[in-house]
Amino acid sequence: MATGPPAHDARDTAADASAPAADVDRKNDSFCAICWVAGEDQRVDMPCCGSPTSTTWYCRRCIEIVCETSYGGVGMCPMNCGPITIEDGVVKKATRTGRCLSCLQDRLLVNRHVCAACELGTRFTLRYECERCHRVQRIPHPMWRYQTAGVDQFGTVTWACHQACGDFTCWRVLAEDAPHVPQWDAPEAWGQRDGWLEVVRQRRLQEVEVERNALRGGGGEDDEAQGGFCLLM
C-alpha cells in the first residue's frame, strides 16, 4: 500500500488534488496514508492498529468513507486488522455478534438478524464451481473470502452443494464473476487491496476538489493573493 503524501506543500496538494498517484512522493509520513492530503490535525485514533507514534496513519474522513462504502456501516481496517465501525464519532472495532438467521452461525451482525457476511453475499450472489462435481451454483454468501491461495484456487470453507453432491464441499468463484467481488473484501492474495484504497482516495480527493472550488468561488482575488486558504477544514 502506498503510504506517503505529495512532495509539495499541503495547500498545493489540495489545489492539485486530481493529480495522478504516480506523481506522489510516498516517503513522507506527515499525511494520511490513503488520501495523502490530510495533515496530522485530522488523524484518527484506530482501535485495532497503530499508535500515537506510528508513521502510517489515516485521517477521519478516509476511515468514514471506508465505513460508508461498506455494507451496514461496517468496514475493514486498511491494515486488515479486522472489521471497524463508527459510533458517536469514534472509530471502534465492530463487535456486535449473534446467531445469523441465514448461515446459522454466531457471527458479527450488521442488523438484528443477519451477519455481515451473509448481507454481503446477498448483495453479491455470485456463481461458484463445486470442487467435487464441478457444477455451478449461486451462493448467497461471500465464499470468495476463503479462496486465500488465489482467485483460481478452491476455498477452504464448505457450503452445501445442491447439484450432484448432496454434501458440503469447497468452492471457487467463476472467472466470469470474479470481477464482481468487491475489492475491499477480496483476499490479500488476489492483489486487490491497492485498488480498493485507490477508490477511497479518489472519493476523498473529489471532496477536496469540491471544497477548493467552493472556496475559490467565495474567496475572491485578495484571498488568493495572500497565499491561499485551508482546503481541508
Side-chain angles (χ1 to χ4, degrees):
M1 181 188 70
T3 57
H8 46 284
D9 185 83
R11 290 171 298 179
D12 295 332
T13 300
D16 191 26
S18 59
D23 295 336
V24 174
D25 175 0
R26 304 179 180 183
K27 297 180 181 179
N28 193 318
D29 57 15
S30 299
F31 294 82
C32 168
I34 296 179
C35 67
W36 303 329
V37 296
E40 287 270 4
D41 60 321
Q42 297 177 64
R43 181 172 184 157
V44 67
D45 292 329
M46 297 293 289
C48 51
C49 64
S51 69
T53 59
S54 295
T55 57
T56 298
W57 55 271
Y58 310 102
C59 71
R60 172 173 297 278
R61 183 56 192 145
C62 280
I63 296 302
E64 288 175 347
I65 293 173
V66 166
C67 293
E68 288 172 3
T69 54
S70 303
Y71 198 76
V74 177
M76 180 60 65
C77 166
M79 295 295 289
N80 290 329
C81 293
I84 56 175
T85 188
I86 299 178
E87 297 179 6
D88 300 323
V90 179
V91 182
K92 298 181 178 181
K93 292 182 179 179
T95 57
R96 186 163 59 90
T97 60
R99 178 60 59 90
C100 173
L101 296 184
S102 179
C103 64
L104 302 180
Q105 302 294 315
D106 291 327
R107 298 185 182 279
L108 173 71
L109 302 180
V110 294
N111 59 42
R112 292 181 57 190
H113 306 295
V114 181
C115 72
C118 286
E119 283 281 10
L120 184 62
T122 299
R123 292 182 65 196
F124 299 92
T125 304
L126 306 182
R127 296 173 298 166
Y128 296 84
E129 175 190 354
C130 174
E131 185 178 30
R132 189 180 303 173
C133 69
H134 298 288
R135 296 191 179 182
V136 174
Q137 177 176 317
R138 285 191 179 274
I139 300 178
H141 189 85
M143 299 300 290
W144 65 74
R145 287 182 171 180
Y146 316 118
Q147 294 177 234
T148 54
V151 66
D152 59 342
Q153 302 297 309
F154 285 95
T156 56
V157 173
T158 62
W159 190 271
C161 175
H162 302 301
Q163 305 306 309
C165 299
D167 195 5
F168 286 85
T169 60
C170 294
W171 302 80
R172 68 179 172 190
V173 66
L174 294 189
E176 298 90 333
D177 285 12
H180 300 297
V181 171
Q183 289 182 318
W184 52 266
D185 200 67
E188 187 172 357
W190 292 24
Q192 299 292 313
R193 185 164 176 267
D194 284 349
W196 162 50
L197 293 181
E198 180 63 22
V199 171
V200 176
R201 179 180 302 117
Q202 290 305 316
R203 175 166 168 178
R204 179 71 181 103
L205 295 182
Q206 288 174 3
E207 292 179 350
V208 171
E209 183 70 9
V210 170
E211 294 167 4
R212 176 178 74 93
N213 290 335
L215 289 172
R216 273 185 172 177
E221 296 181 358
D222 291 340
D223 288 338
E224 294 189 18
Q226 293 176 10
F229 29 71
C230 175
L231 299 173
L232 299 173
M233 298 299 291

